[in-house]
Amino acid sequence: EPGAKPTPASDRWVEARVEQFVRDTETLRLSVEKELAADEVWLGVAARSPGEVPLEAAKSLATYARAQRFRLHAHVGSTAAESAASVAEQGRPALALWSEHGIVDKRFTAVDARHLSGADFALLGSARACVCVCPSAEQHGALGSATAEQVIAAGAGLALGSDSQVQIDLLKEARWLEYGWRTRAAGPATLGNEAATVAFHAATVGGARSLG
């Protein structure tokens, strides 16, 4: 994962230079291709976030991902401060900037997406990208969450993830997702009788699409 700030505990998964990350990933890809059947395992790549990965590095990573037909994930709009910093520095939201440079497409998944505007969600929808929400991690950290209603209305894909070791249980994540709807609606979920279908789809089809 290029771009994350390294700590002694993260040395095994943080790579400061995108060129080295691509080389290491390509070595892994060739090994997987040689040793395993195509339907047994597949790879994807992730950039920490637009605030921590320089634009040129993100473009290089997206180019490599597209060439190998990999999915590309990144934390986007995780905090209000991150979103505001992007506008202050770049003059526009990070997602819009990445979209202008061809990084956001149908293989892209925005993780978190807690502090995105309606225009950001519309951009994800028009690109046929995905949004991965991580309810247990968001509740554990009191972080807030993207609303499934916004994601669905924009036409983007909706996937469930964990983003932490708080719990690894997709059915529980789906339950927390539905609780979030109820909390925002101050009553039965605004998606009505479709809530269970949406949550199940996000935990299965949506997640599979996000992973490739």
Side-chain angles (χ1 to χ4, degrees):
E1 180 178 11
K5 296 178 181 177
T7 67
S10 66
D11 284 347
R12 67 184 179 85
W13 58 271
V14 172
E15 178 55 63
R17 299 181 65 250
V18 70
E19 296 84 1
Q20 185 61 49
F21 179 84
V22 169
R23 285 195 293 270
D24 291 345
T25 305
E26 183 62 8
T27 299
L28 176 62
R29 185 189 71 80
L30 293 173
S31 177
V32 167
E33 188 177 80
K34 178 181 178 181
E35 301 294 335
L36 297 167
D39 61 351
E40 288 186 357
V41 65
W42 57 99
L43 302 178
V45 293
R48 179 62 181 177
S49 73
E52 296 179 82
V53 179
L55 177 60
E56 290 305 314
K59 288 167 60 177
S60 295
L61 191 61
T63 298
Y64 173 70
R66 192 173 295 112
Q68 299 302 334
R69 301 179 64 82
F70 286 171
R71 294 299 197 260
L72 171 62
H73 289 201
H75 289 77
V76 180
S78 297
T79 67
E82 175 189 291
S83 296
S86 174
V87 174
E89 181 178 344
Q90 307 290 346
R92 53 203 180 284
L95 200 63
L97 179 66
W98 276 23
S99 179
E100 289 173 13
H101 289 273
I103 298 170
V104 180
D105 59 18
K106 66 180 181 180
R107 296 180 180 277
F108 181 78
T109 292
V111 181
D112 293 339
R114 291 188 286 265
H115 297 276
L116 297 184
S117 66
D120 289 325
F121 283 113
L123 189 156
L124 290 167
S126 64
R128 297 171 57 208
C130 284
V131 172
C132 179
V133 295
C134 308
S136 65
E138 291 157 354
Q139 293 289 336
H140 182 72
L143 300 170
S145 64
T147 69
E149 299 94 321
Q150 283 180 294
V151 177
I152 294 168
L158 178 66
L160 276 176
S162 62
D163 197 29
S164 72
Q165 301 301 317
V166 174
Q167 68 177 14
I168 308 296
D169 186 324
L170 282 178
L171 290 179
K172 289 183 178 179
E173 296 291 347
R175 187 178 301 124
W176 277 109
L177 183 67
E178 201 268 346
Y179 289 165
W181 298 335
R182 288 181 178 272
T183 300
R184 287 188 296 274
T190 55
L191 291 174
N193 294 332
E194 298 178 6
T197 300
V198 170
F200 184 75
H201 191 277
T204 54
V205 176
R209 176 189 164 196
S210 174
L211 293 173

